[in-house]
Amino acid sequence: MDYLDGLNPSQRAAVEQTEGPVMIVAGAGSGKTRVITYRVAHLIRKGVDPFNILVLTFTNKAAKEMRERIMKVVGTEAKNIWMGTFHSVFAKLLRVEAQKIGYPNNFTIYDTDDSKSLIRSILKEQQLDDKLYNANFVYNRISSSKNNLISPAEYLQNEHIQAEDFSSGRGKMGEIYQTYAQRCYKAGAMDFDDLLYKTNVLLREHPDVLYKYQNKFKYLMVDEYQDTNFSQYLIVKKLAANNENICVVGDDAQSIYAFRGANIQNILNFEKDYPDLKVFKLEQNYRSTQNIVNVANSIIANNKNQLKKSVFSENETGDKIKVSRAFSDNEEGKIVAESIAQEQALKGSKYKDFAILYRTNAQSRAMEESLRKLNVPYKIYGGLSFYQRKEIKDLIAYFRLTFNPNDEEAIKRVINYPRRGIGDTTIEKIIIAADQQNLTLWEIITNAHQYLDARSASAVGNFALMIQSFQVMTKTHSAYDTALHIAQHSTILKDLYSDKSIEGLSRYENIQELLNGIKEFSEREDLEEKGLDVFMQDVALLTNDDNDKNPNADTVSLMTIHSAKGLEFDNVFVVGLEENLFPSQMSLSSRIDLEEERRLFYVAITRAGKKLNLSYATSRYRWGTLTSCEPSRFIDEIDASYLELDFKPQLKGSGNPFFDDERSAWQQKETFSRPKPAPPQKTTSILPKAHVPSADFAPSDTSGLQVGMEVEHERFGFGKVINLEGSKPDVKATIFFKDLGQKQLLLKFAKLKIVK
């Protein structure tokens, strides 16, 4: 039991409570992963068969890390645990049971691009306006329906849904959904949402299968339970119904995925499903300084909808949280980049210890430009992952066809790539014939002489023979040998090698890297099945958090806060803290939405270990227009005793009418009343608003401007001219602005109003 000695009392109690329903409320940085892994190890040490344990996570990376930790305690037995993401675990289950719901066991898994490509084909065939029926919108609508377990038939029969579609001018949505589902079924394909939707169908329609897995999975553990949607919730509830040995781990304060179906009520109401529930709270934060933890607590205290906990830290008190104000998003980027460069130079910090977090991807531009100017290396996460690159998807499409020739999207992708004389007209004829004859595209292709002219039929027939030869090879060769053969004989390698451009060389190297990955996969000792089909399933189920994250690269990390969840850095910059940006404009009409935005801010804060920096701009270009910005209400909710402002705040009653605080009306014009600050001892922070020009503001003729004159600038406010230099038309004025300090402006562009 020595592995239990390193746990604190709360952690140990949660690990040792192995029977019955358990909820572990794990605050940020509280050692959640350690508790999950030790709890599983403890079950095995107590004699539970690893085959009877199911552990569900949200990323493959998390599952891999947990399995490795468990192996250190119990040895190779950990290989037998059913552990992985919801999608990977239930894809594995469906590989065994899919025929019961009419799918082949070798069904293809469509990624988001495949799904949207099929949707675009359906929209084109039905001659629908692709602006009204945007493929992204349609995909999200179908995804949401599946996550709420609404079938195409139920969608078409639901009066509320139909009324909503018709009122928005999208009355054909139900038919599109139905056609999409039929086409996937015909192609022997499931999309990501189907992996959970079809599992629910399987468990609902086949009680014998449900009984089988209820008895198999005697112990269930679910990580990040606050992120589960209705479909995931129902699967877990059904599987746990017999034994009720279910343990869910999560933090309601980090529930930030409502936009993709996550329902915070799953964790808030967990006790209603299990009245005998035992709750354990992990409240000690091992990651962050006391100041950072205190700031996070003061923010989340404003949310009404939460499980109460008292997170604390016994780490050093740490620096106060710096708040920076910039006059524009470009200046904000400059402030952040200079801070990173200075910290790295003075203290020898590694660049990988820094992260810049923002609300929207568009905010990365100003950060990137400033980092480049200072030669600070950086990496943006959330960009195009390795497996989403065209050349990689092309070769994988050949792999998919080899195992499932009915895969419609794979056929359309590579039937004429590399070029083999099968033009768009021929492809269109194949699609039409398949539709008319109610056959798959592959059935038409393998009987091309019946449906196409002799020349086209010959080219299509050769393509079919090539795919069939690949199918034969899979039965006698390793994953790597098969993959290399397909890459060579499809002529993809030759096509890319002949492109001598830098881009062509890069694409060729990417294919080589994919083949290297397959070779490494083929030689893994911890896998029983090493076929190319198994490799493809692993690739198809990669989550965003598993892609392109090299922890050893010494680069500053730039990412949205949603992408940062689960990560930690010594130094974190949270930028763009402005009303209508963070919190977002869409969140301001609802308390529930605003509370999710506040949870998102809480997640951003708790990524930081040693230093946290917050910043906002008083003006920002949005949709091509320079817009004045107000500091986010979230800054105002932080106890000011934990903050360090790197500018002088505007204080009411300062004696200077130009600089008295004039807090703008946005504080009083919220659509609902703001929660009262929790602790009575809280000190209110006073943040300056952007300068509002005088009612009669108009730029003056500055040809007679003299030192000592007082002026007004439309953004920088009021100031005094302290120096003039240069000759017309390039006269430069040095002006001291009371709150902002000294600035040098070119008069011909400055647009100053002379006050006196």
Side-chain angles (χ1 to χ4, degrees):
M1 296 296 199
D2 55 333
Y3 60 94
L4 298 178
D5 294 341
L7 301 174
N8 68 36
S10 298
Q11 291 173 331
R12 181 160 185 158
V15 166
E16 293 181 323
Q17 181 61 51
T18 58
E19 307 303 308
V22 171
M23 179 166 69
I24 301 173
V25 182
S30 62
K32 167 176 71 78
T33 302
R34 170 185 281 195
V35 170
I36 295 173
T37 53
Y38 281 13
R39 192 174 189 276
V40 174
H42 194 59
L43 282 168
I44 296 172
R45 281 282 186 92
K46 285 180 65 177
V48 175
D49 191 326
F51 282 105
N52 297 139
I53 300 173
L54 171 62
V55 182
L56 297 168
T57 67
F58 274 81
T59 69
N60 294 305
K61 178 183 171 185
K64 182 182 177 184
E65 180 184 345
M66 288 179 193
R67 193 184 298 275
E68 288 172 351
R69 289 198 194 184
I70 295 168
M71 286 179 71
K72 289 179 180 177
V73 179
V74 301
T76 55
E77 282 186 279
K79 292 181 181 178
N80 299 325
I81 303 165
W82 275 59
M83 176 182 284
T85 64
F86 275 87
H87 292 88
S88 65
V89 165
F90 295 114
K92 181 179 175 181
L93 186 151
L94 287 168
R95 291 285 179 206
V96 178
E97 312 289 352
Q99 290 182 334
K100 289 185 172 64
I101 53 174
Y103 278 82
N105 295 118
N106 65 337
F107 61 84
T108 295
I109 300 173
Y110 279 176
D111 67 13
T112 304
D113 284 350
D114 297 321
S115 297
K116 290 179 181 178
S117 175
L118 176 55
I119 288 168
R120 280 189 285 270
S121 296
I122 294 169
L123 297 177
K124 185 177 179 182
E125 291 161 19
Q126 297 188 5
Q127 298 181 326
L128 295 170
D129 183 353
D130 61 2
K131 292 185 177 65
L132 188 60
Y133 292 93
N134 176 274
N136 289 330
F137 175 86
V138 174
Y139 171 80
N140 290 331
R141 187 77 168 168
I142 292 173
S143 175
S144 176
S145 299
K146 288 182 180 179
N147 286 331
N148 286 289
L149 304 183
I150 300 171
S151 69
E154 290 167 332
Y155 190 103
L156 285 164
Q157 293 166 8
N158 188 300
E159 292 181 5
H160 174 74
I161 293 175
Q162 291 299 298
E164 186 178 333
D165 283 347
F166 276 100
S167 67
S168 67
R170 299 186 180 95
K172 295 284 187 181
M173 264 301 312
E175 293 176 34
I176 297 169
Y177 181 14
Q178 189 171 53
T179 304
Y180 173 80
Q182 290 168 347
R183 294 277 278 276
C184 286
Y185 182 77
K186 194 174 174 182
M190 295 188 196
D191 62 22
F192 277 177
D193 298 310
D194 278 328
L195 296 174
L196 304 181
Y197 176 76
K198 299 296 182 185
T199 298
N200 269 296
V201 171
L202 175 71
L203 299 180
R204 183 185 68 209
E205 297 182 356
H206 296 273
D208 57 320
V209 176
L210 174 59
Y211 180 76
K212 170 184 173 181
Y213 288 101
Q214 283 176 335
N215 282 278
K216 177 176 178 57
F217 302 133
K218 292 183 168 62
Y219 292 86
L220 278 74
M221 287 196 70
V222 186
D223 189 18
E224 305 285 10
Y225 190 68
Q226 76 280 350
D227 293 335
T228 53
N229 60 30
F230 178 62
S231 182
Q232 292 162 329
Y233 159 80
L234 207 57
I235 292 172
V236 170
K237 187 177 180 184
K238 285 180 178 178
L239 291 176
N242 272 8
N243 299 300
E244 290 200 351
N245 290 325
I246 178 171
C247 173
V248 301
V249 185
D251 181 5
D252 59 295
Q254 298 185 65
S255 178
I256 59 173
Y257 294 118
F259 68 94
R260 67 186 191 198
N263 186 353
I264 192 174
Q265 297 304 320
N266 290 349
I267 193 167
L268 294 179
N269 297 331
F270 191 66
E271 191 167 4
K272 292 181 180 178
D273 288 333
Y274 303 96
D276 298 331
L277 180 71
K278 289 184 170 59
V279 179
F280 299 90
K281 295 182 179 180
L282 309 183
E283 297 173 307
Q284 182 171 356
N285 181 306
Y286 292 93
R287 174 190 305 156
S288 307
T289 64
Q290 292 179 35
N291 271 333
I292 292 172
V293 170
N294 290 337
V295 165
N297 287 342
S298 69
I299 283 292
I300 207 64
N302 290 279
N303 273 8
K304 295 178 180 177
N305 209 14
Q306 62 174 298
L307 298 169
K308 292 292 184 184
K309 56 185 176 296
S310 302
V311 179
F312 66 95
S313 173
E314 293 183 353
N315 295 338
E316 62 182 353
T317 303
D319 294 341
K320 288 191 174 185
I321 283 61
K322 181 180 284 189
V323 180
S324 300
R325 179 186 62 185
F327 303 114
S328 67
D329 47 355
N330 287 333
E331 188 182 38
E332 183 182 35
K334 182 181 177 185
I335 290 171
V336 171
E338 288 178 348
S339 297
I340 292 173
Q342 184 174 337
E343 186 83 8
Q344 192 272 341
L346 294 178
K347 299 188 178 178
S349 305
K350 287 184 165 55
Y351 287 120
K352 66 180 180 180
D353 295 333
F354 296 87
I356 303 173
L357 310 182
Y358 34 76
R359 181 64 180 83
T360 66
N361 276 308
Q363 291 169 255
S364 73
R365 179 200 57 79
M367 298 297 139
E368 286 187 77
E369 289 180 3
S370 297
L371 292 169
R372 277 200 299 267
K373 286 176 182 174
L374 294 179
N375 295 317
V376 173
Y378 66 89
K379 164 82 176 174
I380 293 184
Y381 293 104
L384 197 64
S385 76
F386 179 79
Y387 290 101
Q388 292 300 315
R389 291 166 182 155
K390 179 186 180 301
E391 61 275 12
I392 301 300
K393 288 179 71 71
D394 288 338
L395 183 52
I396 287 179
Y398 275 105
F399 298 165
R400 283 165 42 179
L401 267 184
T402 300
F403 291 96
N404 176 17
N406 290 326
D407 188 336
E408 179 179 323
E409 288 307 302
I411 288 174
K412 289 191 292 187
R413 187 175 190 98
V414 298
I415 191 171
N416 196 41
Y417 176 74
R419 293 187 180 279
R420 52 178 59 91
I422 304 174
D424 291 345
T425 303
T426 300
I427 297 171
E428 193 70 27
K429 286 179 180 177
I430 294 170
I431 293 171
I432 292 171
D435 191 46
Q436 290 175 343
Q437 303 297 320
N438 195 28
L439 298 172
T440 65
L441 298 189
W442 182 247
E443 288 171 317
I444 300 297
I445 287 169
T446 51
N447 296 281
H449 61 281
Q450 295 182 26
Y451 304 100
L452 303 171
D453 60 73
R455 183 178 175 183
S456 299
S458 175
V460 171
N462 288 336
F463 172 73
L465 287 172
M466 179 181 66
I467 299 300
Q468 288 166 337
S469 72
F470 297 162
Q471 292 171 333
V472 171
M473 189 165 185
T474 61
K475 298 173 183 176
T476 56
H477 289 71
S478 70
Y480 173 73
D481 290 339
T482 303
L484 180 60
H485 178 86
I486 293 173
Q488 290 171 336
H489 288 79
S490 65
T491 70
I492 280 184
L493 274 179
K494 180 182 177 182
D495 184 71
L496 293 176
Y497 186 74
S498 64
D499 182 353
K500 300 302 182 183
S501 67
I502 295 175
E503 293 80 7
L505 177 62
S506 175
R507 288 192 286 268
Y508 181 78
E509 289 174 346
N510 286 338
I511 291 291
Q512 294 291 353
E513 184 60 29
L514 175 63
L515 294 172
N516 291 341
I518 296 173
K519 187 169 183 63
E520 184 180 334
F521 170 84
S522 300
E523 295 171 353
R524 279 176 57 180
E525 295 181 359
D526 61 326
L527 296 176
E528 293 180 14
E529 298 181 36
K530 303 177 185 179
L532 186 57
D533 55 336
V534 179
F535 174 83
M536 289 182 343
Q537 177 174 310
D538 285 352
V539 168
L541 293 169
L542 284 174
T543 66
N544 289 337
D545 292 330
D546 301 314
N547 293 330
D548 273 348
K549 298 221 172 156
N550 178 6
N552 298 316
D554 192 21
T555 56
V556 175
S557 298
L558 275 67
M559 65 187 82
T560 64
I561 302 166
H562 284 101
S563 298
K565 188 165 177 291
L567 303 179
E568 57 184 81
F569 303 89
D570 283 350
N571 305 278
V572 170
F573 293 80
V574 185
V575 301
L577 277 161
E578 298 138 32
E579 287 292 293
N580 298 320
L581 180 57
F582 195 17
S584 70
Q585 189 169 9
M586 289 188 296
S587 71
L588 299 181
S589 60
S590 155
R591 180 181 65 82
I592 293 173
D593 291 342
L594 183 60
E595 290 205 350
E596 171 136 340
E597 287 286 294
R598 191 176 284 111
R599 292 195 295 270
L600 189 61
F601 186 39
Y602 177 86
V603 167
I605 290 169
T606 54
R607 298 314 92 201
K610 295 179 179 176
K611 285 193 173 183
L612 174 65
N613 303 268
L614 312 177
S615 63
Y616 68 95
T618 58
S619 66
R620 185 179 297 272
Y621 274 98
R622 307 188 81 174
W623 302 288
T625 303
L626 188 65
T627 307
S628 293
C629 306
E630 295 290 348
S632 170
R633 68 189 68 198
F634 294 156
I635 302 177
D636 209 33
E637 290 174 355
I638 300 173
D639 188 323
S641 64
Y642 304 127
L643 299 180
E644 174 191 331
L645 308 186
D646 74 346
F647 52 88
K648 187 175 180 180
Q650 295 170 327
L651 298 175
K652 203 159 186 101
S654 64
N656 190 323
F658 291 154
F659 304 105
D660 276 356
D661 181 35
E662 297 175 2
R663 297 291 293 178
S664 57
W666 64 269
Q667 287 177 302
Q668 286 78 39
K669 289 185 178 178
E670 295 167 354
T671 55
F672 57 89
S673 60
R674 182 190 273 177
K676 301 292 183 188
Q681 70 273 20
K682 173 176 173 176
T683 310
T684 304
S685 66
I686 303 176
L687 293 177
K689 62 184 285 301
H691 174 69
V692 178
S694 304
D696 60 346
F697 179 86
S700 304
D701 175 5
T702 55
S703 59
L705 191 68
Q706 296 178 18
V707 172
M709 285 185 171
E710 292 184 4
V711 295
E712 180 183 8
H713 185 278
E714 62 182 343
R715 282 200 296 123
F716 304 153
F718 295 94
K720 180 177 286 189
V721 181
I722 59 174
N723 189 43
L724 293 168
E725 61 183 86
S727 55
K728 296 179 181 178
D730 296 320
V731 177
K732 295 178 183 176
T734 302
I735 303 171
F736 182 82
F737 294 99
K738 176 73 174 182
D739 188 43
L740 310 178
Q742 190 170 298
K743 281 194 166 293
Q744 191 174 64
L745 305 174
L746 202 58
L747 279 186
K748 63 183 179 183
F749 297 128
K751 296 182 179 178
L752 298 171
K753 176 188 175 185
I754 298 174
V755 178
K756 61 179 180 179

